[in-house]
Amino acid sequence: MAVTSASAAAFGGPKITLNNGLQMPQLGLGTWKSEPGEVKAAVKAAVGIGYRHIDCAAIYKNEEEVGEALTELFAEGVVTRDELWITSKLWNDHHRADDVPGACSTTLQHLGLDYLDLYLIHWPVATGCTGDVLDPTTEETWRAMEALQASGKARSIGVSNFSAKKLSAMRAHAKVFPAVNQVELHPVHRQDDLLSACAALGTHVTAYSPLGSPDSAAMIDHKGAAVMVHPAVVAIADAVGKSPAQVLIRWAMQRGTSVVPKSVTPSRIEANFASFDWELSDAQMAKLSAIEPQTRMIHGAFWCNPEGPYRTLADLWDEL
């Protein structure tokens, strides 16, 4: 996937060219865990700073407030709709083909938009599914996603939290192959093999929770080394005169992934955006890319069900 330079991209920073030819800003604002009353101000601050990519999802329960921010930004002339890249995601309880259009329409209504730039299947999980086979199947859901793209309601379509095996299996039925696979990525969970597999399949990878999602530890009981205080990250941050968050964002960008760090603090939103005019050295990249052990923070254990298709985490992630 081609990456434009920051200077060529102007506001919004460098852009990634997806497999359908559309260009997505490489750095976006994440909105997961942004509380009501906070996310509107965060979105307005981000766009004012120069962000042009906002990452949303129905399950975040804050799309109406994001929509209020967008409506005000358009009315105030800060930005136009075609200057923004807005991503949202289909939740697990709307995977039936007949349910997908309504879910997308609700998201569009909440956001106050006519179309999404990118619409993702949030998880390869169907609410209430029991038995050995995912039902509805990914094929059924994807067929409805393809119809959304054909209708113009979603300019690009993709997936999230898909393993290389699950993504590769879509080649058997997909008429439009996923443009993006959004997954957890940071130096403590690099997913090198998945990154290589997605590149071979022509699917761009977006890194979510690029700072290690420290504020979700209590929520989902994840364990492992905190990414932003890892000694390697801190040492490199000190050496380059940047914050650990800036180092992690820069590492993600230099790997060629897009990245959607979340913050509701204006100073951090601005600092996170200051990631275009400096680089990590090859040695620093190598040090960050050699951290062991590797630990998944967004572990997915909440989807394991002894009566469902994912009885173990190995079933969900296709990992031994």
Side-chain angles (χ1 to χ4, degrees), residues 296-316:
R296 189 188 297 275
M297 306 299 176
I298 314 304
H299 46 67
F302 33 83
W303 302 131
C304 292
N305 179 353
E307 298 180 353
Y310 306 131
R311 291 169 169 78
T312 67
L313 288 175
D315 295 330
L316 176 63

PDB file of all heavy atoms in Angstrom, residues 296-316:
ATOM      1  N   ARG A 296      -1.174 -10.257  24.067  1.00  0.00           N
ATOM      2  CA  ARG A 296      -2.390  -9.628  23.533  1.00  0.00           C
ATOM      3  C   ARG A 296      -3.150  -9.002  24.696  1.00  0.00           C
ATOM      4  O   ARG A 296      -3.441  -9.677  25.686  1.00  0.00           O
ATOM      5  CB  ARG A 296      -3.256 -10.682  22.830  1.00  0.00           C
ATOM      6  CG  ARG A 296      -4.424 -10.114  22.054  1.00  0.00           C
ATOM      7  CD  ARG A 296      -5.342 -11.231  21.559  1.00  0.00           C
ATOM      8  NE  ARG A 296      -4.697 -12.130  20.623  1.00  0.00           N
ATOM      9  CZ  ARG A 296      -4.612 -11.911  19.311  1.00  0.00           C
ATOM     10  NH1 ARG A 296      -5.123 -10.811  18.791  1.00  0.00           N
ATOM     11  NH2 ARG A 296      -4.017 -12.789  18.519  1.00  0.00           N
ATOM     12  N   MET A 297      -3.465  -7.717  24.589  1.00  0.00           N
ATOM     13  CA  MET A 297      -4.218  -7.045  25.643  1.00  0.00           C
ATOM     14  C   MET A 297      -5.723  -7.245  25.452  1.00  0.00           C
ATOM     15  O   MET A 297      -6.435  -7.597  26.393  1.00  0.00           O
ATOM     16  CB  MET A 297      -3.883  -5.547  25.670  1.00  0.00           C
ATOM     17  CG  MET A 297      -2.402  -5.242  25.783  1.00  0.00           C
ATOM     18  SD  MET A 297      -1.660  -5.881  27.297  1.00  0.00           S
ATOM     19  CE  MET A 297       0.060  -5.457  27.027  1.00  0.00           C
ATOM     20  N   ILE A 298      -6.214  -7.013  24.233  1.00  0.00           N
ATOM     21  CA  ILE A 298      -7.640  -7.210  23.938  1.00  0.00           C
ATOM     22  C   ILE A 298      -7.790  -8.690  23.578  1.00  0.00           C
ATOM     23  O   ILE A 298      -7.847  -9.086  22.420  1.00  0.00           O
ATOM     24  CB  ILE A 298      -8.119  -6.297  22.795  1.00  0.00           C
ATOM     25  CG1 ILE A 298      -7.598  -4.859  23.016  1.00  0.00           C
ATOM     26  CG2 ILE A 298      -9.643  -6.311  22.706  1.00  0.00           C
ATOM     27  CD1 ILE A 298      -7.971  -4.247  24.358  1.00  0.00           C
ATOM     28  N   HIS A 299      -7.827  -9.511  24.624  1.00  0.00           N
ATOM     29  CA  HIS A 299      -7.599 -10.951  24.478  1.00  0.00           C
ATOM     30  C   HIS A 299      -8.735 -11.704  23.805  1.00  0.00           C
ATOM     31  O   HIS A 299      -8.529 -12.769  23.234  1.00  0.00           O
ATOM     32  CB  HIS A 299      -7.308 -11.570  25.833  1.00  0.00           C
ATOM     33  CG  HIS A 299      -8.260 -11.120  26.919  1.00  0.00           C
ATOM     34  ND1 HIS A 299      -9.597 -11.442  26.938  1.00  0.00           N
ATOM     35  CD2 HIS A 299      -8.036 -10.341  28.015  1.00  0.00           C
ATOM     36  CE1 HIS A 299     -10.174 -10.895  27.997  1.00  0.00           C
ATOM     37  NE2 HIS A 299      -9.255 -10.219  28.679  1.00  0.00           N
ATOM     38  N   GLY A 300      -9.958 -11.201  23.879  1.00  0.00           N
ATOM     39  CA  GLY A 300     -11.076 -11.864  23.230  1.00  0.00           C
ATOM     40  C   GLY A 300     -11.695 -12.986  24.023  1.00  0.00           C
ATOM     41  O   GLY A 300     -12.594 -13.681  23.526  1.00  0.00           O
ATOM     42  N   ALA A 301     -11.259 -13.180  25.272  1.00  0.00           N
ATOM     43  CA  ALA A 301     -11.804 -14.277  26.081  1.00  0.00           C
ATOM     44  C   ALA A 301     -13.298 -14.136  26.296  1.00  0.00           C
ATOM     45  O   ALA A 301     -14.007 -15.131  26.515  1.00  0.00           O
ATOM     46  CB  ALA A 301     -11.087 -14.336  27.429  1.00  0.00           C
ATOM     47  N   PHE A 302     -13.803 -12.912  26.198  1.00  0.00           N
ATOM     48  CA  PHE A 302     -15.238 -12.678  26.376  1.00  0.00           C
ATOM     49  C   PHE A 302     -16.069 -13.287  25.259  1.00  0.00           C
ATOM     50  O   PHE A 302     -17.294 -13.362  25.364  1.00  0.00           O
ATOM     51  CB  PHE A 302     -15.509 -11.167  26.491  1.00  0.00           C
ATOM     52  CG  PHE A 302     -14.582 -10.299  25.677  1.00  0.00           C
ATOM     53  CD1 PHE A 302     -14.801 -10.064  24.333  1.00  0.00           C
ATOM     54  CD2 PHE A 302     -13.466  -9.738  26.282  1.00  0.00           C
ATOM     55  CE1 PHE A 302     -13.941  -9.286  23.599  1.00  0.00           C
ATOM     56  CE2 PHE A 302     -12.597  -8.935  25.554  1.00  0.00           C
ATOM     57  CZ  PHE A 302     -12.833  -8.706  24.195  1.00  0.00           C
ATOM     58  N   TRP A 303     -15.457 -13.737  24.176  1.00  0.00           N
ATOM     59  CA  TRP A 303     -16.200 -14.383  23.083  1.00  0.00           C
ATOM     60  C   TRP A 303     -16.132 -15.910  23.146  1.00  0.00           C
ATOM     61  O   TRP A 303     -16.749 -16.587  22.313  1.00  0.00           O
ATOM     62  CB  TRP A 303     -15.673 -13.922  21.717  1.00  0.00           C
ATOM     63  CG  TRP A 303     -15.740 -12.438  21.504  1.00  0.00           C
ATOM     64  CD1 TRP A 303     -14.739 -11.623  21.049  1.00  0.00           C
ATOM     65  CD2 TRP A 303     -16.865 -11.582  21.728  1.00  0.00           C
ATOM     66  NE1 TRP A 303     -15.168 -10.326  20.994  1.00  0.00           N
ATOM     67  CE2 TRP A 303     -16.467 -10.262  21.403  1.00  0.00           C
ATOM     68  CE3 TRP A 303     -18.167 -11.791  22.188  1.00  0.00           C
ATOM     69  CZ2 TRP A 303     -17.317  -9.166  21.517  1.00  0.00           C
ATOM     70  CZ3 TRP A 303     -19.022 -10.702  22.304  1.00  0.00           C
ATOM     71  CH2 TRP A 303     -18.601  -9.412  21.967  1.00  0.00           C
ATOM     72  N   CYS A 304     -15.371 -16.445  24.066  1.00  0.00           N
ATOM     73  CA  CYS A 304     -15.273 -17.909  24.165  1.00  0.00           C
ATOM     74  C   CYS A 304     -16.537 -18.469  24.818  1.00  0.00           C
ATOM     75  O   CYS A 304     -17.025 -17.940  25.818  1.00  0.00           O
ATOM     76  CB  CYS A 304     -14.041 -18.303  24.973  1.00  0.00           C
ATOM     77  SG  CYS A 304     -12.491 -17.914  24.134  1.00  0.00           S
ATOM     78  N   ASN A 305     -17.047 -19.527  24.221  1.00  0.00           N
ATOM     79  CA  ASN A 305     -18.301 -20.137  24.677  1.00  0.00           C
ATOM     80  C   ASN A 305     -18.191 -21.638  24.462  1.00  0.00           C
ATOM     81  O   ASN A 305     -17.980 -22.087  23.329  1.00  0.00           O
ATOM     82  CB  ASN A 305     -19.471 -19.558  23.872  1.00  0.00           C
ATOM     83  CG  ASN A 305     -20.823 -20.142  24.252  1.00  0.00           C
ATOM     84  OD1 ASN A 305     -20.911 -21.086  25.036  1.00  0.00           O
ATOM     85  ND2 ASN A 305     -21.892 -19.601  23.676  1.00  0.00           N
ATOM     86  N   PRO A 306     -18.341 -22.439  25.494  1.00  0.00           N
ATOM     87  CA  PRO A 306     -18.211 -23.889  25.327  1.00  0.00           C
ATOM     88  C   PRO A 306     -19.243 -24.492  24.384  1.00  0.00           C
ATOM     89  O   PRO A 306     -19.078 -25.616  23.927  1.00  0.00           O
ATOM     90  CB  PRO A 306     -18.377 -24.433  26.749  1.00  0.00           C
ATOM     91  CG  PRO A 306     -19.091 -23.355  27.498  1.00  0.00           C
ATOM     92  CD  PRO A 306     -18.632 -22.072  26.896  1.00  0.00           C
ATOM     93  N   GLU A 307     -20.310 -23.720  24.077  1.00  0.00           N
ATOM     94  CA  GLU A 307     -21.341 -24.208  23.161  1.00  0.00           C
ATOM     95  C   GLU A 307     -21.282 -23.520  21.799  1.00  0.00           C
ATOM     96  O   GLU A 307     -22.142 -23.768  20.944  1.00  0.00           O
ATOM     97  CB  GLU A 307     -22.728 -23.995  23.780  1.00  0.00           C
ATOM     98  CG  GLU A 307     -22.932 -24.770  25.078  1.00  0.00           C
ATOM     99  CD  GLU A 307     -24.306 -24.542  25.667  1.00  0.00           C
ATOM    100  OE1 GLU A 307     -25.055 -23.692  25.145  1.00  0.00           O
ATOM    101  OE2 GLU A 307     -24.626 -25.208  26.662  1.00  0.00           O
ATOM    102  N   GLY A 308     -20.284 -22.653  21.590  1.00  0.00           N
ATOM    103  CA  GLY A 308     -20.209 -21.896  20.349  1.00  0.00           C
ATOM    104  C   GLY A 308     -19.034 -22.294  19.485  1.00  0.00           C
ATOM    105  O   GLY A 308     -18.280 -23.220  19.810  1.00  0.00           O
ATOM    106  N   PRO A 309     -18.826 -21.590  18.371  1.00  0.00           N
ATOM    107  CA  PRO A 309     -17.730 -21.938  17.455  1.00  0.00           C
ATOM    108  C   PRO A 309     -16.347 -21.602  18.016  1.00  0.00           C
ATOM    109  O   PRO A 309     -15.351 -22.149  17.552  1.00  0.00           O
ATOM    110  CB  PRO A 309     -18.036 -21.109  16.205  1.00  0.00           C
ATOM    111  CG  PRO A 309     -18.866 -19.964  16.697  1.00  0.00           C
ATOM    112  CD  PRO A 309     -19.669 -20.502  17.839  1.00  0.00           C
ATOM    113  N   TYR A 310     -16.291 -20.704  19.020  1.00  0.00           N
ATOM    114  CA  TYR A 310     -15.013 -20.336  19.622  1.00  0.00           C
ATOM    115  C   TYR A 310     -14.988 -20.816  21.071  1.00  0.00           C
ATOM    116  O   TYR A 310     -15.328 -20.098  21.998  1.00  0.00           O
ATOM    117  CB  TYR A 310     -14.803 -18.820  19.559  1.00  0.00           C
ATOM    118  CG  TYR A 310     -14.937 -18.242  18.175  1.00  0.00           C
ATOM    119  CD1 TYR A 310     -15.732 -17.127  17.932  1.00  0.00           C
ATOM    120  CD2 TYR A 310     -14.262 -18.814  17.095  1.00  0.00           C
ATOM    121  CE1 TYR A 310     -15.860 -16.595  16.661  1.00  0.00           C
ATOM    122  CE2 TYR A 310     -14.379 -18.300  15.815  1.00  0.00           C
ATOM    123  CZ  TYR A 310     -15.184 -17.184  15.602  1.00  0.00           C
ATOM    124  OH  TYR A 310     -15.311 -16.662  14.339  1.00  0.00           O
ATOM    125  N   ARG A 311     -14.601 -22.074  21.237  1.00  0.00           N
ATOM    126  CA  ARG A 311     -14.547 -22.639  22.580  1.00  0.00           C
ATOM    127  C   ARG A 311     -13.296 -22.206  23.333  1.00  0.00           C
ATOM    128  O   ARG A 311     -13.271 -22.174  24.554  1.00  0.00           O
ATOM    129  CB  ARG A 311     -14.629 -24.165  22.495  1.00  0.00           C
ATOM    130  CG  ARG A 311     -16.014 -24.658  22.042  1.00  0.00           C
ATOM    131  CD  ARG A 311     -16.022 -26.144  21.695  1.00  0.00           C
ATOM    132  NE  ARG A 311     -17.372 -26.654  21.512  1.00  0.00           N
ATOM    133  CZ  ARG A 311     -18.102 -26.462  20.416  1.00  0.00           C
ATOM    134  NH1 ARG A 311     -17.602 -25.760  19.400  1.00  0.00           N
ATOM    135  NH2 ARG A 311     -19.325 -26.967  20.326  1.00  0.00           N
ATOM    136  N   THR A 312     -12.261 -21.871  22.568  1.00  0.00           N
ATOM    137  CA  THR A 312     -10.992 -21.434  23.143  1.00  0.00           C
ATOM    138  C   THR A 312     -10.492 -20.214  22.383  1.00  0.00           C
ATOM    139  O   THR A 312     -10.947 -19.911  21.268  1.00  0.00           O
ATOM    140  CB  THR A 312      -9.929 -22.535  23.050  1.00  0.00           C
ATOM    141  OG1 THR A 312      -9.596 -22.741  21.656  1.00  0.00           O
ATOM    142  CG2 THR A 312     -10.441 -23.845  23.646  1.00  0.00           C
ATOM    143  N   LEU A 313      -9.498 -19.541  22.972  1.00  0.00           N
ATOM    144  CA  LEU A 313      -8.885 -18.415  22.268  1.00  0.00           C
ATOM    145  C   LEU A 313      -8.169 -18.877  21.004  1.00  0.00           C
ATOM    146  O   LEU A 313      -8.086 -18.134  20.025  1.00  0.00           O
ATOM    147  CB  LEU A 313      -7.899 -17.699  23.196  1.00  0.00           C
ATOM    148  CG  LEU A 313      -8.533 -16.879  24.323  1.00  0.00           C
ATOM    149  CD1 LEU A 313      -7.463 -16.312  25.247  1.00  0.00           C
ATOM    150  CD2 LEU A 313      -9.391 -15.769  23.744  1.00  0.00           C
ATOM    151  N   ALA A 314      -7.686 -20.107  21.005  1.00  0.00           N
ATOM    152  CA  ALA A 314      -7.058 -20.642  19.801  1.00  0.00           C
ATOM    153  C   ALA A 314      -8.063 -20.731  18.656  1.00  0.00           C
ATOM    154  O   ALA A 314      -7.712 -20.532  17.486  1.00  0.00           O
ATOM    155  CB  ALA A 314      -6.456 -22.010  20.086  1.00  0.00           C
ATOM    156  N   ASP A 315      -9.324 -21.023  18.974  1.00  0.00           N
ATOM    157  CA  ASP A 315     -10.367 -21.060  17.947  1.00  0.00           C
ATOM    158  C   ASP A 315     -10.629 -19.662  17.387  1.00  0.00           C
ATOM    159  O   ASP A 315     -10.818 -19.485  16.177  1.00  0.00           O
ATOM    160  CB  ASP A 315     -11.679 -21.610  18.520  1.00  0.00           C
ATOM    161  CG  ASP A 315     -11.573 -23.057  18.962  1.00  0.00           C
ATOM    162  OD1 ASP A 315     -10.781 -23.806  18.379  1.00  0.00           O
ATOM    163  OD2 ASP A 315     -12.310 -23.438  19.899  1.00  0.00           O
ATOM    164  N   LEU A 316     -10.651 -18.674  18.274  1.00  0.00           N
ATOM    165  CA  LEU A 316     -10.955 -17.312  17.856  1.00  0.00           C
ATOM    166  C   LEU A 316      -9.834 -16.731  16.996  1.00  0.00           C
ATOM    167  O   LEU A 316     -10.081 -16.148  15.934  1.00  0.00           O
ATOM    168  CB  LEU A 316     -11.174 -16.431  19.090  1.00  0.00           C
ATOM    169  CG  LEU A 316     -11.413 -14.939  18.828  1.00  0.00           C
ATOM    170  CD1 LEU A 316     -12.696 -14.709  18.032  1.00  0.00           C
ATOM    171  CD2 LEU A 316     -11.448 -14.169  20.157  1.00  0.00           C
TER     172      LEU A 316
END
